[in-house]
Amino acid sequence: MRAAQIISEQAVIMDNAPIHRKKVIRELAEWAGHQVLFLPKYSPELNDIEPDFSALKRAKMYASPDKYIDEIIREYCAR
């Protein structure tokens, strides 16, 4: 496998995956003249769909064991 190459000075934007937070990754990028930026930590309140996911998970938790998730979703969306 070949590593990706960044030709000129660039900003390298990474998420907060543990591998990206390794010191050696940042050092290699900075050594090559690139600026390393990290995305902000995950914030569920900034994601509009999170309240719906939360409600669906709660509905699934209290539903009868034989009820399929697609049925729960249909009922939730019909409201």
Side-chain angles (χ1 to χ4, degrees):
M1 179 168 29
R2 187 172 168 205
Q5 293 181 341
I6 304 172
I7 308 302
S8 61
E9 292 181 13
Q10 299 287 324
V12 178
I13 302 172
M14 296 185 280
D15 63 15
N16 288 288
I19 187 69
H20 297 154
R21 286 289 181 179
K22 300 274 185 204
K23 185 178 177 184
V24 68
I25 301 293
R26 185 176 32 248
E27 288 174 346
L28 285 170
E30 290 173 349
W31 176 82
H34 308 300
Q35 179 183 10
V36 177
L37 303 170
F38 289 96
L39 292 172
K41 296 211 182 295
Y42 178 70
S43 301
E45 66 275 3
L46 300 177
N47 189 341
D48 291 339
I49 202 163
E50 285 300 321
D52 292 319
F53 281 148
S54 178
L56 287 168
K57 285 188 261 184
R58 196 170 32 259
K60 177 65 178 155
M61 185 171 55
Y62 292 111
S64 64
D66 60 335
K67 194 169 199 176
Y68 292 105
I69 188 68
D70 58 335
E71 189 178 349
I72 295 169
I73 293 170
R74 271 195 298 279
E75 289 173 2
Y76 179 78
C77 291
R79 293 183 203 176

